[in-house]
Amino acid sequence: MKNLPLISVITVNYNQSDATCEMLESLYASGYPNLEVFVVDNASSAADNAEKIKEKFPGVIFIQNKINLGFAGGNNIALKEANGNYIYLLNNDTVIPEGNPECLVTVLADDPAIGVVCPKIKFYSDPDIIQFAGYTEMSEYTFRNRSIGYAEPDNGQYDLRRETAFAHGAAMMLKREVIEKTGLMNEHYFLYYEELDWSRRIRSKGYRIVYIPDTYILHKEALSTGKNSSLQVYYMNRNRVLYVKCNTSGMQKIISIIYQLLVVMPKNMLKFLFRRHFKNMKAVFRAWWASIRMPRSMCKYEYL
């Protein structure tokens, strides 16, 4: 067997131990022989019984957090302990096919300019439908972007490798040197936009982020947070403003923040009001208030 480099795989569990076990089963069945696997449990409830992960997979490095540190904080805990020259951040609500890790690490190893690779992502509920085939750039003032291929049938239309503006947090493999030069994820995001912020910093160091259609993952989207949950609504609204504050300056920052606070969030509150989704309406208001009070210190991040 050829000498394959060590890959440190990191996944975060929060009240979804059965899904995490299914992901680990697919990971170990993928055929890659040199893995170091971290499972970070973000203070799951006793009812979830996260201990079953250790029992079923005694070889994993299990880290039990006393509080929920979110996606960035959970991953960062393991990043500080990882030994691999290649780091694979993999959502616990995913399933990977045979050959997936080797495909990704081969692309990284063959090109020093590539810092991050992401596979094609398809929906677990319908594997013929694409969720991600790369990201477009952010709009300069609205700070919206688009997942290329989203909800399209996979007919091979995105089967060429291409550079992507951002990595996808559900499945991204990085070189360790990238993290050493760029720093860890900003934990103040907690959920959403953290990988976009990280991607922007990675690109600022001269690394390319590349979408690889040669392999894929299946994603059970928003399993932990719930699609359109008040938690998701709060962080999506708040973190867009945090992203603007951390990554822009001058008039662009002023115009963008005013647009989010006086146009986007009021519009979202009215939308949820008319739909009688009162919890989500309150979540947007809380995000609006948090955004006004957001200190510049929230843009700080750690290094390895």
Side-chain angles (χ1 to χ4, degrees), residues 226-275:
K227 198 168 178 64
N228 291 321
S229 69
S230 57
L231 183 73
Q232 182 188 54
V233 168
Y234 171 77
Y235 281 109
M236 286 295 287
N237 281 271
R238 190 203 73 157
N239 288 353
R240 196 174 296 117
V241 177
L242 179 56
Y243 182 91
V244 171
K245 287 195 173 186
C246 294
N247 293 288
T248 62
S249 60
M251 286 304 299
Q252 183 189 19
K253 176 184 283 189
I254 293 170
I255 293 171
S256 297
I257 290 176
I258 289 173
Y259 175 74
Q260 295 298 327
L261 294 177
L262 300 184
V263 178
V264 175
M265 290 193 198
K267 179 181 175 182
N268 287 341
M269 280 188 270
L270 286 172
K271 176 184 71 175
F272 288 126
L273 175 63
F274 290 140
R275 294 178 180 177

Side-chain angles (χ1 to χ4, degrees), residues 209-230:
I209 302 174
V210 176
Y211 155 73
I212 306 297
D214 312 54
T215 186
Y216 66 92
I217 67 161
L218 301 178
H219 188 203
K220 306 168 188 175
E221 190 182 25
L223 189 61
S224 294
T225 60
K227 198 168 178 64
N228 291 321
S229 69
S230 57

Side-chain angles (χ1 to χ4, degrees), residues 3 7 19 21 40 45 49-50 79 87 92 97 111 115 125 127 139 145 155 161 166 174 193 215 223 238 274 281:
N3 186 26
I7 299 175
C21 288
V40 182
S45 67
N49 187 23
L79 284 170
I87 314 292
N92 73 315
D111 192 335
S125 58
S139 170
N145 72 324
N155 296 318
R161 295 181 188 178
F166 303 95
L174 310 87
Y193 274 82
T215 186
L223 189 61
R238 190 203 73 157
F274 290 140
M281 183 190 72

Side-chain angles (χ1 to χ4, degrees), residues 91-145:
N91 269 21
N92 73 315
D93 60 348
T94 60
V95 173
I96 71 171
E98 184 177 353
N100 174 272
E102 184 170 358
C103 179
L104 297 176
V105 80
T106 298
V107 175
L108 283 174
D110 286 348
D111 192 335
I114 299 176
V116 186
V117 291
C118 295
K120 180 186 291 184
I121 300 177
K122 300 192 282 186
F123 288 102
Y124 180 86
S125 58
D126 191 343
D128 293 325
I129 304 298
I130 297 169
Q131 181 185 8
F132 167 87
Y135 276 130
T136 63
E137 293 282 359
M138 286 275 191
S139 170
E140 189 173 355
Y141 288 100
T142 66
F143 283 85
R144 299 282 186 141
N145 72 324

